[in-house]
Amino acid sequence: MSTSFHHSRGRFIAFEGGEGAGKSTQVRTIVSRLRDRGLEVVQTREPGGSPGAEALRNLLVTGDAGRWSPMSELLMMYAARSDHLEKIIRPALDRGAWVVCDRFADSSRAYQGAGGGVGPYFIEAVDAAVVADTQPDLVVVMDMPVEAGLKRAASRGDTENRFESKGAAFHERLRDGFLRRAAAVPGRYRVIDADRTIEAIAADIWTALAEAFPELSHGG
Ligand code: TYD
């Protein structure tokens, strides 16, 4: 039996990474593998995941790159996160479900902190108040070279491209931010080389999950 970081019975997994790293595809694969085991899985995302947070998402991810300052973004991201935690994540963990979230607080540390320049002490103070003990049990960081990721993201051609348009230097800073965070908190983080085939990436992610959650290795 593995010990869970938060107070509750469920398991909380976050997927993180820069633009175009293929997170969403891998999230879908992991969610269906966990469901095949008969587990209750809540698949969700940030910014968003609850009706109030999705309304904030729309403000955050559309429009000009300069529409919001990094500080305004940080506060809105955590406003959305607070609602998401209260309405979706904590109730799911409390009833023992697995929560798989496409982006979580490390995106704020990377995009608003490392990329945008909001100070780490302020971010950690807000995080301690909002996320508190509902920290992810496992964070999968999907890492790939910035240029390749931006090319992949641009080929999607969607309108939620406000952060994509921030320039290569910004994206290099946030890639470094994810990697430094993962190195600083090694127990709960796994960095996956995302510049490979979908199948190779999926296999590594499943191995990471099986290591983090030994209960996945027996049965099913
Ligand atoms: P997402 O839909 O996951 O974008 P993508 O599919 O391109 O990975 O997330 C939307 C954008 O929001 C993404 O550019 C990253 C940004 N973001 C932040 O800047 N801070 C945050 O805290 C979160 C959760 C996301």
Side-chain angles (χ1 to χ4, degrees):
M1 188 70 198
S2 74
T3 49
S4 189
F5 189 85
H6 45 77
H7 63 283
S8 51
R9 294 178 300 133
R11 298 284 180 270
F12 184 13
I13 303 166
F15 279 72
E16 297 279 10
E19 307 294 316
K23 279 183 293 87
S24 310
T25 305
Q26 297 297 336
V27 164
R28 279 196 299 275
T29 303
I30 278 300
V31 165
S32 67
R33 284 192 78 163
L34 292 170
R35 284 185 181 144
D36 287 347
R37 302 270 175 135
L39 299 167
E40 186 200 347
V41 185
V42 173
Q43 180 183 341
T44 188
R45 68 166 183 185
E46 289 204 346
S50 62
E54 290 287 333
L56 286 166
R57 175 192 178 92
N58 192 42
L59 294 171
L60 279 159
V61 300
T62 62
D64 295 342
R67 181 180 186 185
W68 308 106
S69 70
M71 178 59 88
S72 298
E73 287 168 10
L74 192 273
L75 295 168
M76 290 166 71
M77 291 291 177
Y78 271 95
R81 186 162 297 131
S82 181
D83 193 66
H84 187 207
L85 282 160
E86 287 167 18
K87 308 256 168 63
I88 305 290
I89 296 176
R90 288 192 185 112
L93 294 173
D94 285 344
R95 64 177 187 265
W98 290 60
V99 174
V100 179
C101 195
D102 187 340
R103 296 193 183 280
F104 192 64
D106 289 315
S107 282
S108 297
R109 294 184 173 98
Y111 281 76
Q112 283 68 53
V118 178
Y121 297 105
F122 180 71
I123 296 178
E124 295 314 322
V126 176
D127 194 85
V130 172
V131 181
D133 66 353
T134 316
Q135 302 290 334
D137 299 294
L138 176 67
V139 180
V140 176
V141 176
M142 299 196 44
D143 180 60
M144 73 186 293
V146 164
E147 208 179 316
L150 286 175
K151 211 178 273 177
R152 259 161 59 171
S155 70
R156 291 190 302 223
D158 58 15
T159 57
E160 292 192 334
N161 53 11
R162 197 179 143 251
F163 288 96
E164 265 166 65
S165 63
K166 280 189 184 244
F170 174 86
H171 292 278
E172 293 288 358
R173 289 198 299 279
L174 73 89
R175 182 187 186 197
D176 282 355
F178 281 124
L179 294 177
R180 275 189 279 111
R181 171 81 183 163
V185 196
R188 290 186 289 130
Y189 285 71
R190 293 287 185 286
V191 177
I192 303 286
D193 174 2
D195 199 10
R196 296 178 298 152
T197 65
I198 288 175
E199 294 75 21
I201 297 165
D204 276 9
I205 292 174
W206 186 258
T207 301
L209 258 75
E211 281 170 13
F213 307 108
E215 64 268 39
L216 292 176
S217 302
H218 2 99

